[in-house]
Amino acid sequence: MTAPTPQRTSRMASIEAMGFTGIIFAVLTLIGVEMVRAMPDWSADHATVEQWFSQSGNRTRLTAVVLIMVVASIALLWFIGTLRRRLGTGEDQLFATVFLGSGLLLIGILLTSVAAFAAPATIAQRLSPAAAADAYPASHGLGMILMTVIAPRISAVFMLSLANLARITRAFPRWLTLLSTAAALFMLIAVTTSIHIAWVLPAWALIIGIYIVTRRKHLVAE
């Protein structure tokens, strides 16, 4: 076995460090999803929603969700770069293009969905809680559709393309490739409007991130 050069060792060590971006994305996204779950249900009446938005703490919480998801999206962007660097130059151009494109599209969808969730808080602040309650069904509905219907399908494409790239380049072990494929197929065919489906992507990213961070010796030896 050829001994790794200092340059290659440094490169692999940087990949290991950047694996933390996947962990950061996962943790922040899970926190953001749980904070969104604390919002009134779709079936909540006008008075309940108006009262909820009349409390400054709830409006501040939604502002915090926006900031959390912005940071999470930036972490996801860096994580995509980390994964592509981990895959190396042997990646297939077709799957690599789909992987990058779906990742960027996913970031846009996540940011749009959280903006839809938080829009009533801005309306309540600028106009009135009653106006926020009027806009709530449409705004919250848009956020839920983006997060529970559209985002999972784009996430499935994202995961499947990475699974195929990992299979071609052997950048990840077989069990991780199979796990990515299974998670992607689940998100692709699942018919639900439950926000719990939004847990799958960050959970997957957490596993990938932890694997990269904890496999320094394996990376350096390759």
Side-chain angles (χ1 to χ4, degrees):
M1 181 181 297
T2 305
T5 64
Q7 181 179 4
R8 179 172 176 77
T9 301
S10 176
R11 173 178 176 273
M12 291 305 181
S14 68
I15 294 175
E16 174 205 8
M18 289 303 293
F20 281 108
T21 57
I23 298 173
I24 292 171
F25 163 73
V27 172
L28 292 181
T29 301
L30 288 171
I31 292 174
V33 170
E34 288 305 298
M35 292 176 73
V36 167
R37 287 184 64 224
M39 298 177 68
D41 190 72
W42 282 11
S43 59
D45 56 52
H46 189 280
T48 300
V49 176
E50 181 179 351
Q51 182 181 10
W52 196 86
F53 280 101
S54 67
Q55 301 177 22
S56 61
N58 291 331
R59 298 195 300 270
T60 301
R61 185 178 297 111
L62 286 180
T63 301
V65 171
V66 174
L67 296 176
I68 287 172
M69 290 307 298
V70 167
V71 176
S73 297
I74 294 172
L76 177 57
L77 182 60
W78 278 97
F79 189 50
I80 291 171
T82 301
L83 292 172
R84 293 200 66 192
R85 191 176 185 188
R86 176 71 177 89
L87 293 168
T89 58
E91 61 180 12
D92 179 85
Q93 290 185 349
L94 173 62
F95 289 116
T97 301
V98 175
F99 173 66
L100 178 60
S102 59
L104 295 177
L105 182 59
L106 180 60
I107 291 173
I109 292 172
L110 291 177
L111 291 177
T112 303
S113 65
V114 75
F117 283 126
T122 302
I123 295 174
Q125 182 70 31
R126 298 294 182 180
L127 297 177
S128 67
D134 290 337
Y136 187 76
S139 180
H140 192 78
L142 175 60
M144 288 296 290
I145 289 173
L146 288 170
M147 186 166 285
T148 65
V149 178
I150 298 177
R153 274 65 188 183
I154 303 301
S155 298
V157 175
F158 181 68
M159 293 177 182
L160 278 175
S161 56
L162 178 65
N164 278 282
L165 287 169
R167 177 181 57 81
I168 294 170
T169 62
R170 298 183 179 179
F172 294 102
R174 182 176 175 81
W175 68 266
L176 203 50
T177 301
L178 293 175
L179 176 65
S180 299
T181 302
L185 292 177
F186 168 76
M187 297 187 78
L188 192 62
I189 64 176
V191 180
T192 179
T193 55
S194 172
I195 200 170
H196 294 94
I197 197 172
W199 291 346
V200 178
L201 176 65
W204 170 83
L206 182 63
I207 294 172
I208 299 287
I210 291 175
Y211 173 81
I212 293 175
V213 168
T214 58
R215 296 293 287 174
R216 177 177 180 180
K217 291 182 179 178
H218 175 71
L219 292 173
V220 171
E222 292 177 345

